[in-house]
Amino acid sequence: MDPVKKSLVTLHLAVVLLGGTGLFSKIIPLNAIDITLGRSLFACLALCLFVRAGRDHLRLERRLDYFIAIGLGVLMAAHWATYFASMQYAGVSVGMIAMFTFPVITVLLEPLFEKTRLAWQDMLSALVVVIGIVLIVPEVSLDNDITLGVGLGVISAVLYAVRNLSLRKYFSHYSGARSMAWQTLIIVLCLLPFSDLPNTQQDTSVWLLLLALGTAFTALPHALVANSLAHLRAKTFSLIACMQPFYGVIFAIILLNESPGWQTLLGGILVTSASIYETVNTHKSASATNE
């Protein structure tokens, strides 16, 4: 198979696997912190093996980079914990849609990290996202689980956007696998004091689900993404990644029997459309700058 076509298939498989992570928030009988810790533990081990198998090393180049890795890991720990908590409260469909506001949030936060200016189109995208979120919020009260889940999903999106912008500015000189190996290690160290997972006896099925989440649904897709980017443009990756909430909602409907209403589906369409627009627009701007 042609390397580009093979990379496209690989990338779609990676996004499908990432879209399936939301299912584990419902099928693993643990709280969000314990799920995040288990996911990170197995992902870290798998990513370290992947890095070593690729004849790379885990050592960072500068002392400052270790502090940056700690900061990125802390952000990822909070992002993953709020991501799973969001879906536990509001359901996989709603939680994933709320979290996928991060592309637009990224654009809004970008001027704080880089010398960019917000355009009126960016503000319009933000307004579309706000309308989409309003559609899926049943009432403005944190006593409502769905509203609380949406709020946690948006917080997760902000954390993810800050992490991505920080990684791009301060840590992009490392491979994706080595970067994620360090971040997952920091997540484990951060969450150990707050988790009951090491002190409680879990069924074998729980550990197997955590193993699957950390390897097949976390380490593997990140490794696949890293390999596919050797033959694909970053724009292609970003656009395909926008399919993640679509896959997540489909999985939730088929496997968890979720029944999102028309307002949730319409809100999801608005949020995803704004994300796709900002993805395309960002890469157009980058291309114009490089010409």
Side-chain angles (χ1 to χ4, degrees):
M1 186 184 293
D2 178 78
V4 174
K5 291 182 180 178
K6 185 177 180 181
S7 295
L8 279 172
V9 173
T10 299
L11 186 54
H12 273 287
L13 175 60
V15 174
V16 168
L17 291 173
L18 290 172
T21 57
L23 300 174
F24 291 87
S25 66
K26 292 294 187 180
I27 63 177
I28 297 179
L30 298 174
N31 62 47
I33 290 179
D34 289 345
I35 293 175
T36 302
L37 175 60
R39 176 189 194 182
S40 303
L41 176 62
F42 288 114
C44 181
L45 294 173
L47 286 165
C48 287
L49 290 174
F50 177 80
V51 171
R52 296 300 297 167
R55 296 182 179 180
D56 199 355
H57 58 83
L58 292 166
R59 187 178 64 255
L60 300 181
E61 297 171 2
R62 302 175 302 167
R63 181 180 297 179
L64 176 62
D65 289 341
Y66 289 95
F67 291 99
I68 295 173
I70 291 172
L72 293 173
V74 170
L75 287 170
M76 278 299 286
H79 158 59
W80 275 355
T82 50
Y83 171 65
F84 285 117
S86 170
M87 291 181 287
Q88 287 181 334
Y89 278 106
V92 174
S93 302
V94 172
M96 191 161 283
I97 290 170
M99 198 285 290
F100 220 78
T101 57
F102 83 86
V104 176
I105 293 173
T106 300
V107 172
L108 296 178
L109 294 178
E110 203 167 27
L112 300 177
F113 290 80
E114 300 176 10
K115 295 180 180 179
T116 59
R117 290 184 177 181
L118 289 177
W120 66 268
Q121 295 95 330
D122 300 327
M123 301 307 296
L124 181 60
S125 293
L127 178 60
V128 170
V129 165
V130 170
I131 294 173
I133 292 299
V134 168
L135 282 172
I136 64 177
V137 171
E139 60 176 320
V140 186
S141 171
L142 294 181
D143 292 330
N144 185 294
D145 284 350
I146 295 179
T147 302
L148 180 58
V150 171
L152 287 169
V154 173
I155 291 172
S156 180
V158 172
L159 291 166
Y160 192 44
V162 173
R163 175 264 189 183
N164 289 346
L165 289 167
S166 301
L167 186 147
R168 187 169 69 188
K169 185 171 183 178
Y170 302 111
F171 216 66
S172 59
H173 50 290
Y174 293 109
S175 68
R178 182 156 40 145
S179 173
M180 279 303 297
W182 272 100
Q183 290 175 70
T184 50
L185 173 61
I186 299 302
I187 293 172
V188 171
L189 297 177
C190 282
L191 296 185
L192 268 175
F194 305 100
S195 174
D196 294 324
L197 188 60
N199 305 318
T200 56
Q201 188 172 1
Q202 302 296 336
D203 292 338
T204 303
S205 60
V206 172
W207 287 109
L208 289 176
L209 287 170
L210 289 172
L211 174 63
L213 174 60
T215 54
F217 288 83
T218 302
L220 176 59
H222 280 95
L224 292 176
V225 168
N227 288 336
S228 65
L229 286 178
H231 302 286
L232 298 175
R233 296 166 60 193
K235 176 181 178 180
T236 304
F237 162 69
S238 299
L239 287 173
I240 293 176
C242 287
M243 295 293 292
Q244 184 176 330
F246 171 77
Y247 291 132
V249 171
I250 295 299
F251 286 148
I253 293 173
I254 296 175
L255 301 177
L256 299 179
N257 294 318
E258 288 193 4
S259 302
W262 70 267
Q263 287 182 293
T264 298
L265 294 175
L266 179 57
I269 291 171
L270 290 176
V271 169
T272 305
S273 298
S275 298
I276 292 173
Y277 169 77
E278 286 297 346
T279 299
V280 174
N281 193 49
T282 296
H283 286 283
K284 281 184 178 179
S285 301
S287 300
T289 302
N290 294 331
E291 288 176 354

